[in-house]
Amino acid sequence: MIETLNNSNKDNLLVAIERFELVAKATHDVIWDWDLEKGTVWWNEGMKEVFGHTPQEIEPGPESWFNRIHPDDRNKVIHHMHVAINRADSNWMDQYRFRRADGSYAYVHDRGYTIHVDGKAVRMVGSMRDLSEKMQSDEARLESEANLQFALSAAQLGVWNMNPETGVVYFDERCRGLYGNPSEEILNYESLIQHIHFEDREKVVNGISHALDPEKRAAYDIRYRTVGASDKTLRWLHCTGKAYFTPEGVPYRFSGVSRNVTDEISSKERVAWADQQAAMTIEGSGAGSFLVTLDSNELIYSPTMSRIITGRESSAISRDVFVRHVHPEDFEKRSAAYETASKTGELRYEARFVWHDNSVHWVRVIGQYLYDSTGKAISLSGIVMDITDRIESENIIRTSEEHLRKLIEQAPVATSMFIGKDMIIDLPNEAMLKIWGKGAGVIGKPLREALPELENQPFLQILDDIFETGKPYAASGSRADLMIDGVLETFYFDFSYKPLRNSTGEIYAILNMAVDVTEQVKSRQALEQSEERYRQLVNELERRVQKRTEELHQANQELVNSNSNLQQFAYAASHDMQEPLRKIQSFSSRLQTVYGGSFDENGVFMLNRIQDASKRMSSMIDDLLAYSRLTTRDSAFEPVDLKKIASAVIADLEFSIEEQKSQIKVGPLPVVWGNPAQLTQLVQNLLSNAIKYRKQNVQSIIEIHAHGLDEQELSALPRILPEHSYIRIEVSDNGIGFDEKYLDRIFQMFQRLHGRGEFSGSGIGLALCKKVVQNHHGHITAQSEPDKGSTFMVYLPIPN
């Protein structure tokens, strides 16, 4: 066919083909040339590069083209092509699917140019472009847009977009409906603001301003009311949005979504009354309530909650109040509680909170998460309760129990407790363990197991009866057979069993006090008259102990229940045991006078030991009596002149001062806030100690001074009276001193650092001092070194 063309047409065709080749290289199109007369088709290299078909597998005729068109598209494409040829159209184009070498199909855009000679179509030349990626991209975009529109429609969200420079606002149809379908075709910021409820306009304007501020770039998340432009309907909207800025910080777009939350707000209003009633009930119980909206951390709380957490009622606190005011040492406890709550939905913890005045209070927090239908936590509601009184009561109970434990451990009378109907041994002191002939291994064991030799004796049955009836039991000179070092020996005891009741009146333990009277019983024939008097005294002691016990059982608090053992023991020791001691002293004196000549040297020695021991015990009981009178704080506080107290005490100790050749220097002393009688005991015991523990052959010098406190020293003190200032009183001496590793020990009951042969005393004096200071909300400590004297420091409140 080419030979039939004139030279001009031939040159034009060659130029056209060359141009197609250049275009193909630039556009990656596939070039084809269909000779209509010969029925051959030529393809350029694009056939291989784009579709993967090599020249060897390509048929020479149009079947190389038509057979690779998708069967569903083939007839349509061939028909359109022949119509164009038959109508002598110059141009033809179509879109269809073309098969690649791997069997997959590509979307192509095919276009051709028909060459006519003498009005007859002789050649068609064209190019084919692969549109697959574009088609896929367009489909993905359309699908994404469809999904977005579906999501917006499903969520009932309206879309808005504002030009910050012009103030023009674009609303979709849903947004227009949320504003009551304004009539203006082109909306602007100023006109739309007028459709916002007047009470909410300032909030909305400020929110938009902060979002468009390049320094703040705040997120736009706000709820407000609109008044419909045409229907005047009040609607609540929840709008979220974001501003977009140029690199220079100029806002060029502000867009977001809006949602109608009127039903949600109405629902909240409907439950508000119920919430209010619940809150009133909570407030009436003394607890405070709170509600946290988790997506915004908004905190709704009662005034009582604010007072419990911070110490004052505030109208402007946020959720972080629970973090800022929690005691640093309890922060981990709070975090662990929230971690547990995230799994269980229940929040519970007890922690200390620091009030605005730096006072510390115990608070219980109880809360519960509320979840939506998807399981997402949306709010946390709960209550807080001030449990400081309960914690302090528990601490007092523990302290009282510890005091009871110490008194029992150090008591000169054998004492133990049997817990529960199994009679578990608890708190046996050394004297009781010595009586039993057992070591500390019996502690925590049932009495029947620890002392199996009691099985055929009356004691176990007596104890069982006391647990059933609640009646106390006491006996004098009762026989007990005990296994001592593998040998069953017989002893005689004066003992008592006292039932101890809890706050509900149930018996939870029995207190056993015993005195070994074996020697007295064995000497009964020689001292029958004395024995009778002794028995009467024991019965009187039992009567008095029973009377005191019945009075103590009237208490209905756990604190009184815990302290009852201590008070019962101290009262019995201070009052009831003085009389038997006086009898022991009296009869031992009569024995020495009447029968002194009948005793050998060993008998005289033992009789003297009895008299010395009874004197020491009498002194100890006097000190116990003084201590027991301090078991509760005396509320009759008044301004007390310490200088007058010191002068009176020095006058009372005049004999001891002269005997020990002590020199006492008294500096200026202040007026303190306290009880005169107790402060006199405090000063007297401190001066007596300083006089007693002097160094031999060294002039004893004792000084009393007062010093003010700085903030650091005051803050280091234990719990004090916040409304009072404090003063430090120092009593220093140049005596024998002591090692400070015994500092805690010297303030405990019956603790001595020296034997009775070196220094007299009961070991109660400094414990009494500590109790007086505690009653005055103060603090006592000491500094000392062996052979270098001691300084006792007392911190006391002063009047306002």
Side-chain angles (χ1 to χ4, degrees):
M1 178 190 70
I2 296 177
E3 289 81 355
T4 63
L5 298 175
N6 58 40
N7 291 335
S8 175
N9 289 337
K10 182 178 181 181
D11 292 340
N12 290 338
L13 180 58
L14 291 175
V15 171
I17 291 175
E18 182 179 358
R19 288 175 178 173
F20 262 89
E21 289 291 346
L22 293 174
V23 170
K25 291 180 180 179
T27 63
H28 301 287
D29 288 351
V30 178
I31 305 299
W32 48 267
D33 182 358
W34 181 15
D35 189 328
L36 296 175
E37 292 186 340
K38 292 183 177 180
T40 59
V41 177
W42 169 85
W43 301 88
N44 74 338
E45 289 296 322
M47 189 64 162
K48 178 180 180 182
E49 294 175 359
V50 177
F51 300 121
H53 297 295
T54 62
Q56 293 77 14
E57 66 181 82
I58 299 175
E59 303 87 335
E63 62 272 10
S64 63
W65 183 1
F66 298 155
N67 289 343
R68 289 175 172 81
I69 298 176
H70 193 283
D72 294 342
D73 301 336
R74 186 178 302 145
N75 292 336
K76 178 196 70 170
V77 173
I78 296 175
H79 172 72
H80 289 169
M81 187 179 297
H82 284 292
V83 168
I85 294 173
N86 294 335
R87 287 193 314 199
D89 294 339
S90 298
N91 297 301
W92 162 86
M93 65 178 179
D94 210 338
Q95 289 187 3
Y96 56 89
R97 289 165 286 183
F98 190 81
R99 189 177 71 248
R100 300 186 180 96
D102 60 6
S104 63
Y105 284 90
Y107 282 92
V108 298
H109 180 236
D110 205 351
R111 52 197 181 279
Y113 175 75
T114 306
I115 300 174
H116 296 83
V117 176
D118 299 330
K120 179 183 179 182
V122 297
R123 197 180 198 91
M124 181 178 284
V125 180
S127 66
M128 186 185 297
R129 175 171 295 178
D130 188 349
L131 299 178
S132 298
E133 291 185 3
K134 181 177 182 302
M135 294 287 288
Q136 292 173 357
S137 176
D138 289 346
E139 288 178 358
R141 178 178 57 79
L142 292 174
E143 182 179 0
S144 176
E145 290 178 355
N147 290 338
L148 175 60
Q149 289 300 322
F150 178 79
L152 291 173
S153 176
Q156 298 185 344
L157 296 176
V159 179
W160 50 266
N161 198 326
M162 185 181 88
N163 186 325
E165 182 178 359
T166 64
V168 173
V169 180
Y170 164 75
F171 272 0
D172 66 1
E173 288 304 316
R174 186 176 296 278
C175 257
R176 279 185 171 271
L178 296 178
Y179 275 77
N181 294 309
S183 58
E184 302 96 322
E185 183 176 348
I186 299 177
L187 303 174
N188 62 74
Y189 172 73
E190 295 297 335
S191 62
L192 286 174
I193 288 295
Q194 302 307 312
H195 298 304
I196 295 176
H197 194 282
F198 71 93
E199 293 180 356
D200 297 338
R201 287 175 190 168
E202 182 178 358
K203 175 171 62 175
V204 174
V205 171
N206 289 338
I208 295 175
S209 176
H210 293 165
L212 296 176
D213 188 337
E215 298 296 328
K216 297 179 179 178
R217 303 194 184 195
Y220 183 66
D221 188 340
I222 192 168
R223 293 189 179 204
Y224 58 89
R225 292 162 290 181
T226 62
V227 179
S230 57
D231 56 13
K232 304 303 179 184
T233 299
L234 182 70
R235 297 177 179 86
W236 275 93
L237 306 187
H238 181 197
C239 296
T240 57
K242 179 182 179 182
Y244 298 85
F245 298 84
T246 66
E248 294 77 21
V250 178
Y252 65 88
R253 183 162 63 93
F254 181 43
S255 58
V257 295
S258 297
R259 183 167 65 93
N260 190 336
V261 294
T262 305
D263 291 341
E264 296 177 21
I265 298 297
S266 298
S267 298
K268 291 182 178 179
E269 290 174 347
R270 283 193 295 270
V271 302
W273 184 84
D275 289 344
Q276 184 180 20
Q277 297 304 307
M280 290 173 62
T281 302
I282 293 170
E283 295 295 314
S285 68
S289 59
F290 67 88
L291 173 67
V292 178
T293 304
L294 298 181
D295 59 353
S296 64
N297 266 346
E298 179 185 4
L299 174 65
I300 302 174
Y301 59 94
S302 67
T304 303
M305 190 225 76
S306 174
R307 178 175 53 77
I308 290 174
I309 297 297
T310 69
R312 55 188 174 189
E313 296 181 0
S314 173
S315 60
I317 60 176
S318 56
R319 185 184 182 184
D320 66 350
V321 70
F322 290 97
V323 178
R324 290 187 290 105
H325 284 269
V326 73
H327 195 284
E329 295 178 3
D330 292 344
F331 187 82
E332 291 299 326
K333 180 191 299 184
R334 175 184 178 274
S335 299
Y338 269 91
E339 183 175 349
T340 301
S342 67
K343 302 173 183 176
T344 65
E346 299 281 344
L347 176 67
R348 290 179 178 270
Y349 67 93
E350 293 180 358
R352 290 165 292 177
F353 281 77
V354 182
W355 281 11
H356 69 95
D357 59 2
N358 291 324
S359 61
V360 178
H361 298 260
W362 278 92
V363 176
R364 171 183 288 173
V365 180
I366 302 175
Q368 188 169 24
Y369 283 104
L370 177 66
Y371 302 88
D372 61 15
S373 59
T374 66
K376 177 184 176 183
I378 59 176
S379 66
L380 171 64
S381 62
I383 60 173
V384 298
M385 294 172 284
D386 191 330
I387 58 172
T388 304
D389 290 342
R390 192 208 78 192
I391 296 296
E392 289 182 348
S393 296
E394 291 175 354
N395 291 336
I396 292 173
I397 289 173
R398 282 194 291 269
T399 301
S400 299
E401 290 176 345
E402 185 62 26
H403 285 167
L404 174 62
R405 184 181 297 271
K406 291 296 182 183
L407 282 174
I408 291 177
E409 289 176 354
Q410 301 165 7
V413 177
T415 308
S416 180
M417 290 176 62
F418 306 130
I419 308 298
K421 292 187 177 181
D422 291 334
M423 290 180 282
I424 304 300
I425 297 173
D426 189 28
L427 299 180
N429 60 6
E430 288 295 329
M432 184 62 82
L433 293 175
K434 184 176 180 181
I435 284 176
W436 292 340
K438 304 294 190 292
V442 299
I443 299 175
K445 293 182 178 180
L447 184 61
R448 285 182 169 85
E449 179 183 331
L451 281 74
E453 61 267 29
L454 297 180
E455 280 294 344
N456 296 321
Q457 301 182 56
F459 306 105
L460 297 177
Q461 185 59 49
I462 293 171
L463 290 168
D464 287 338
D465 292 343
I466 292 174
F467 270 109
E468 291 297 328
T469 66
K471 296 181 179 179
Y473 182 89
S476 302
S478 294
R479 173 175 172 171
D481 296 326
L482 300 174
M483 191 70 69
I484 308 297
D485 297 328
V487 178
L488 191 65
E489 298 184 20
T490 299
F491 299 88
Y492 295 89
F493 299 99
D494 294 339
F495 72 94
S496 64
Y497 292 148
K498 305 297 180 186
L500 304 178
R501 300 178 185 272
N502 58 24
S503 60
T504 62
E506 297 177 346
I507 299 173
Y508 73 93
I510 293 177
L511 178 67
N512 175 209
M513 299 178 68
V515 177
D516 187 349
V517 294
T518 304
E519 294 301 325
Q520 292 91 320
V521 172
K522 289 180 179 180
S523 303
R524 187 171 298 165
Q525 288 89 11
L527 301 171
E528 286 188 7
Q529 185 178 3
S530 176
E531 180 187 37
E532 182 62 24
R533 290 180 177 271
Y534 175 75
R535 183 177 295 110
Q536 293 174 359
L537 291 174
V538 171
N539 290 335
E540 177 64 16
L541 172 62
E542 169 58 23
R543 187 188 67 79
R544 293 186 182 183
V545 170
Q546 181 176 354
K547 180 180 178 182
R548 304 301 181 224
T549 302
E550 291 172 353
E551 293 174 355
L552 291 174
H553 286 166
Q554 297 175 3
N556 60 358
Q557 298 181 2
E558 290 187 4
L559 175 59
V560 175
N561 178 64
S562 177
N563 284 337
S564 64
N565 303 324
L566 172 63
Q567 292 177 357
Q568 176 184 342
F569 178 80
Y571 208 95
S574 63
H575 286 275
D576 300 340
M577 295 183 70
Q578 284 284 20
E579 182 62 22
L581 280 175
R582 284 194 290 272
K583 297 299 182 182
I584 291 172
Q585 291 172 341
S586 175
F587 284 116
S588 63
S589 296
R590 292 182 62 186
L591 280 174
Q592 192 173 35
T593 302
V594 178
Y595 301 101
S598 301
F599 292 136
D600 57 13
E601 181 179 351
N602 190 36
V604 173
F605 171 76
M606 287 190 290
L607 192 57
N608 290 335
R609 290 293 299 275
I610 291 174
Q611 289 181 318
D612 291 342
S614 62
K615 290 177 182 179
R616 287 199 307 274
M617 191 168 184
S618 179
S619 175
M620 183 179 296
I621 290 173
D622 288 338
D623 288 342
L624 276 173
L625 177 58
Y627 187 85
S628 67
R629 288 170 178 165
L630 298 172
T631 55
T632 57
R633 292 176 176 167
D634 193 333
S635 59
F637 279 12
E638 61 186 52
V640 179
D641 190 340
L642 278 186
K643 187 171 183 181
K644 292 181 179 179
I645 294 288
S647 298
V649 169
I650 292 172
D652 290 341
L653 298 176
E654 182 178 2
F655 178 77
S656 297
I657 294 171
E658 291 179 357
E659 183 181 30
Q660 298 295 334
K661 297 181 176 57
S662 298
Q663 179 183 358
I664 299 180
K665 300 178 180 180
V666 182
L669 295 178
V671 173
V672 298
W673 183 249
N675 180 276
Q678 292 188 21
L679 292 175
T680 299
Q681 288 179 294
L682 171 67
V683 175
Q684 184 168 349
N685 275 277
L686 290 176
L687 289 179
S688 296
N689 255 31
I691 294 170
K692 181 194 303 182
Y693 294 105
R694 62 183 293 272
K695 289 194 290 189
Q696 298 296 325
N697 303 320
V698 176
Q699 170 69 45
S700 173
I701 300 176
I702 302 169
E703 298 183 7
I704 307 177
H705 294 285
H707 302 274
L709 304 182
D710 56 25
E711 289 297 330
Q712 182 177 1
E713 186 175 4
L714 181 62
S715 63
L717 294 180
R719 190 180 184 95
I720 59 176
L721 293 173
E723 68 272 14
H724 284 269
S725 299
Y726 276 70
I727 195 78
R728 183 176 76 247
I729 310 298
E730 292 186 357
V731 179
S732 59
D733 61 63
N734 62 341
I736 61 174
F738 61 89
D739 192 328
E740 286 191 11
K741 68 181 180 180
Y742 301 115
L743 181 59
D744 292 336
R745 178 178 170 185
I746 65 173
F747 292 107
Q748 297 176 8
M749 294 281 286
F750 306 116
Q751 294 296 318
R752 299 171 55 89
L753 302 184
H754 308 280
R756 291 189 177 89
E758 298 179 73
F759 298 97
S760 63
S762 62
I764 298 178
L766 287 178
L768 186 144
C769 291
K770 182 176 181 180
K771 189 62 180 178
V772 170
V773 173
Q774 288 177 338
N775 287 351
H776 285 72
H777 305 276
H779 181 63
I780 185 170
T781 186
Q783 294 178 346
S784 182
E785 291 184 40
D787 295 324
K788 294 186 178 180
S790 304
T791 298
F792 283 82
M793 294 164 286
V794 180
Y795 298 86
L796 295 173
I798 59 177
N800 290 330

